[in-house]
Amino acid sequence: MKRCINLAKKSAGRVSPNPLVGAIIFDDDFKVISEGRHEYYGGNHAERNAILTAQEDLRGKSIIVNLEPCCHYGKTPPCADLIIERGIKRVISGMVDPNPIVAGKGLERLKSAGIEVIQGVLEEECLELNKFFVKNQTKKLPYITIKTAVTLDGKIATRSNKSKWITDETSRAEVQKLRNSYDAILTGSGTIKYDNPSLTCRMKGGRNPVRVVLDTNLSTDESSKVYTDDGTRVIIIAGEKVSNSRIKEYPSHIEIEKCKLKNNKIDISTAVKILYEKGLRSIMTECGGLLNKSIIEEKLADELIQFIAPKLLGDTKAKSFAEGFDRNEINECNKLKIVSTKVLKQDIIVNSKFNY
Ligand code: AOF
Ligand code: ZN
């Protein structure tokens, strides 16, 4: 199953809104006969690819797949039927498909055909692999990760908004990998003005994420790097009151959506729903503390990834990655669960999940 998960990961950033799936066919001596993965949206499912690449008769063989085989006619016919047709005798599945049109029915069909089914192998790892898909299917919302580069005292910038460079080049290379796997990067107008980031993916073989800027009053400069037309989608979510003449001043490849306001700022819950409807199923923020705070306050954030540098700013006016809460008691804190830590060259990555 670990091999299956690693195989599936090779398609990171390529299959959205579909899940990451790998499948391996093997015989009773655990000799691998073939493997396949879902490579791109609309393409063959992993099981079909594994079955089609096999050079031998599959009767009596086993297939292991990190997601329950499907039983529906979508872009391709049901994988469960193909598995039955080829005489495979055993299916090992990592997790039940949260998609309501499958949801256990794929495994049921296999069992009714007399196939041995083992379900739930490395289930936790499989759920983590497809965390975006699970959130989308169960909540009809994008999976949202807050990404930060902070000092040991949790600061992302000085009082004059200088943030280059808190973390080192090893951390920044990791960020490139993340950009490759999320559908979109979300930022705010302040970050565009102070940092002028490009938010592209410079990883070898990577692909650019969609860039999304929340800009209530359309105050960002049209020539900002984030608005460069490099063939990837760029979206601005603006306040409902912006004028059409101001909209026309932006380059024509930019999609500008008007959004309802809350306390004179973009209503983040509505903005996130707009982005989901535009097909964005996983979003990573690279922004200032006020936008992150709104996302946390509205219980929209799923995960926090902190790149922590061994530096101390120690200035009360320095900027935090989440700020603006009015809290007097420790029990008002947001509670998270740390899921992993990793030491890089000098910096560390702390990965936590929100627990509302
Ligand atoms: C995939 N790849 O390897 C498996 C999937 O739109 P379709 O026809 O490709 O169907 C997508 C659904 O198929 C998806 O939501 C999931 O429930 C199921 N399994 N999907 O994209 C795969 N095995
Ligand atoms: Zn399928």
Side-chain angles (χ1 to χ4, degrees), residues 45-64:
H45 288 182
E47 306 89 313
R48 183 165 298 273
N49 275 336
I51 290 171
L52 297 182
T53 38
Q55 302 288 333
E56 55 187 278
D57 191 340
L58 296 181
R59 273 176 289 188
K61 304 293 188 291
S62 301
I63 186 166
I64 182 158

Side-chain angles (χ1 to χ4, degrees), residues 146-159:
I146 291 176
K147 193 278 289 176
T148 69
V150 292
T151 58
L152 283 172
D153 51 334
K155 303 299 178 192
I156 56 168
T158 65
R159 57 170 72 195

Side-chain angles (χ1 to χ4, degrees), residues 206-223:
R207 60 101 184 98
N208 284 340
V210 175
R211 286 154 294 178
V212 182
V213 181
L214 295 198
D215 187 357
T216 314
N217 302 310
L218 287 183
S219 60
T220 48
D221 193 317
E222 309 85 79
S223 62

Side-chain angles (χ1 to χ4, degrees), residues 31-273:
K31 185 178 98 47
V32 170
I33 292 161
S34 66
E35 50 178 43
R37 67 182 156 100
H38 184 53
E39 290 173 21
Y40 55 90
Y41 174 67
N44 278 347
H45 288 182
E47 306 89 313
R48 183 165 298 273
N49 275 336
I51 290 171
L52 297 182
T53 38
Q55 302 288 333
E56 55 187 278
D57 191 340
L58 296 181
R59 273 176 289 188
K61 304 293 188 291
S62 301
I63 186 166
I64 182 158
V65 52
N66 58 281
L67 182 76
E68 163 188 12
C70 69
C71 54
H72 69 290
Y73 281 87
K75 302 228 159 21
T76 48
C79 294
D81 291 357
L82 185 63
I83 292 170
I84 297 166
E85 257 167 58
R86 298 296 169 107
I88 291 175
K89 72 165 180 192
R90 185 185 293 121
V91 174
I92 300 119
S93 147
M95 62 181 271
V96 169
D97 187 344
N99 183 348
I101 57 172
V102 185
K105 296 193 275 291
L107 296 176
E108 281 313 315
R109 185 176 301 183
L110 295 165
K111 281 186 208 159
S112 330
I115 293 176
E116 182 192 350
V117 172
I118 301 170
Q119 152 52 27
V121 174
L122 291 189
E123 190 170 37
E124 226 172 282
E125 288 84 344
C126 291
L127 286 165
E128 176 64 19
L129 172 74
N130 273 310
K131 59 194 175 186
F132 302 166
F133 186 67
V134 172
K135 171 92 190 274
N136 304 160
Q137 292 294 331
T138 55
K139 301 271 163 52
K140 298 284 163 230
L141 281 172
Y143 186 95
I144 302 186
T145 292
I146 291 176
K147 193 278 289 176
T148 69
V150 292
T151 58
L152 283 172
D153 51 334
K155 303 299 178 192
I156 56 168
T158 65
R159 57 170 72 195
S160 57
N161 291 300
K162 292 192 190 83
S163 61
K164 282 190 175 103
W165 296 102
I166 290 175
T167 49
D168 67 12
E169 64 292 344
T170 320
S171 285
R172 300 204 296 271
E174 290 293 320
V175 172
Q176 297 298 317
K177 287 193 214 158
L178 288 168
R179 285 186 186 164
N180 181 52
S181 63
Y182 280 79
D183 281 356
I185 304 299
L186 173 69
T187 194
S189 55
T191 303
I192 301 303
K193 285 177 216 166
Y194 297 124
D195 297 351
N196 194 18
S198 65
L199 303 180
T200 51
C201 174
R202 272 98 63 191
M203 182 185 108
K204 197 165 162 270
R207 60 101 184 98
N208 284 340
V210 175
R211 286 154 294 178
V212 182
V213 181
L214 295 198
D215 187 357
T216 314
N217 302 310
L218 287 183
S219 60
T220 48
D221 193 317
E222 309 85 79
S223 62
S224 307
K225 283 192 211 159
V226 74
Y227 299 138
T228 308
D229 186 3
D230 56 10
T232 343
R233 289 173 81 185
V234 185
I235 301 171
I236 301 180
I237 305 281
E240 57 200 345
K241 295 186 194 123
V242 294
S243 71
N244 289 336
S245 58
R246 176 67 184 128
I247 289 177
K248 288 205 187 83
E249 286 167 2
Y250 282 86
S252 61
H253 69 278
I254 300 178
E255 299 167 41
I256 302 182
E257 294 290 334
K258 290 187 186 179
C259 178
K260 116 178 179 218
L261 299 179
K262 187 175 175 183
N263 303 327
N264 289 322
K265 284 192 302 189
I266 304 279
D267 177 41
I268 188 67
S269 296
T270 308
V272 163
K273 285 192 190 111

